């Protein structure tokens, strides 16, 4: 059986972290994708927001940004408004192994600081990740993770349609 270079690369990418510039993509298995979806949908169900589904195109978009953050390896920031087409949550953590639902669980912890009200610039700073997770109009999510040379994990989820519009209620 003859295997071309692209096929070989894709096969290796499935079984190993492929490193470029020192960072590596953390490949999410189907079971990990289910953990991410369950962490989102559990919170969404509590506020009667419809369940969301996984989107591979959004996941690739999230992976690319996670890899960019891991390559820079010093802080997290969002894409600029001209680059951003989707809602976006980002988390980073260091000192323990990546688990698929860790980032979503961190965002969901913001619920403790949220009082049901329209989004404003002040509350958004403290609860914006959580309100994106439960945003009622969002239907699809895709997430990606990359590990930096220093061992930090950068976890990104993108949402379509996006949420967190100032003046609007999340659900």
């Amino acid at each position: 059986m003859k295997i071309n270079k692209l096929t070989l690369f894709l096969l290796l990418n499935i079984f190993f972290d492929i490193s470029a510039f020192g960072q590596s993509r953390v490949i999410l298995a189907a079971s990990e994708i289910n953990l991410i979806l369950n962490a989102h949908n559990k919170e969404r169900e509590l506020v009667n927001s419809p369940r969301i589904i996984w989107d591979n195109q959004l996941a690739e978009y999230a992976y690319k940004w996670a890899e960019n953050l891991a390559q820079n390896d010093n802080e997290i920031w969002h894409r600029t408004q001209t680059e951003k087409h989707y809602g976006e949550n980002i988390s980073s953590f260091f000192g323990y192994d990546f688990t698929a639902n860790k980032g979503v669980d961190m965002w969901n912890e913001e619920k403790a600081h949220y009082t049901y009200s329209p989004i404003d610039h002040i509350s958004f700073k403290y609860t914006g990740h959580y309100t994106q997770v439960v945003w009622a109009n969002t239907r699809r999510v895709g997430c990606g993770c990359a590990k930096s040379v220093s061992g930090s994990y950068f976890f990104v989820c993108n949402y379509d349609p996006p949420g967190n519009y100032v003046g609007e209620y999340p659900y």
Side-chain angles (χ1 to χ4, degrees), residues 15-163:
F15 295 107
F16 303 101
D17 285 343
I18 301 298
S19 295
F21 305 108
Q23 82 276 5
S24 60
R25 181 179 279 211
V26 177
I27 304 301
L28 298 174
S31 60
E32 293 171 310
I33 291 169
N34 284 332
L35 285 172
I36 292 166
L37 279 173
N38 288 339
H40 278 87
N41 285 323
K42 182 179 98 178
E43 289 300 321
R44 293 174 67 81
E45 288 171 8
L46 292 173
V47 297
N48 296 316
S49 288
R51 296 177 66 78
I52 54 175
I53 61 170
W54 188 261
D55 184 288
N56 287 327
Q57 186 176 15
L58 287 174
E60 185 57 32
Y61 188 74
Y63 266 123
K64 287 179 180 175
W65 194 245
E67 290 170 324
N68 179 59
L69 295 171
Q71 182 179 350
N72 288 292
D73 198 15
N74 61 359
E75 62 182 311
I76 60 174
W77 67 93
H78 291 277
R79 293 174 173 97
T80 65
Q81 287 301 328
T82 57
E83 297 173 304
K84 196 188 304 188
H85 307 288
Y86 308 107
E88 185 170 77
N89 277 350
I90 302 173
S91 61
S92 75
F93 31 96
F94 179 83
Y96 44 87
D97 288 334
F98 171 77
T99 57
N101 55 326
K102 178 64 178 167
V104 184
D105 289 345
M106 290 169 57
W107 302 328
N108 288 340
E109 289 171 7
E110 293 177 2
K111 175 174 62 174
H113 308 289
Y114 180 70
T115 302
Y116 186 69
S117 62
I119 302 296
D120 63 46
H121 293 291
I122 296 169
S123 66
F124 178 76
K125 291 179 187 178
Y126 304 103
T127 61
H129 298 104
Y130 166 72
T131 53
Q132 176 59 81
V133 167
V134 298
W135 197 265
N137 292 334
T138 297
R139 297 293 184 259
R140 298 188 326 265
V141 65
C143 305
C145 186
K147 185 177 181 182
S148 71
V149 174
S150 71
S152 293
Y153 290 92
F154 294 86
F155 181 69
V156 178
C157 287
N158 288 113
Y159 301 86
D160 188 45

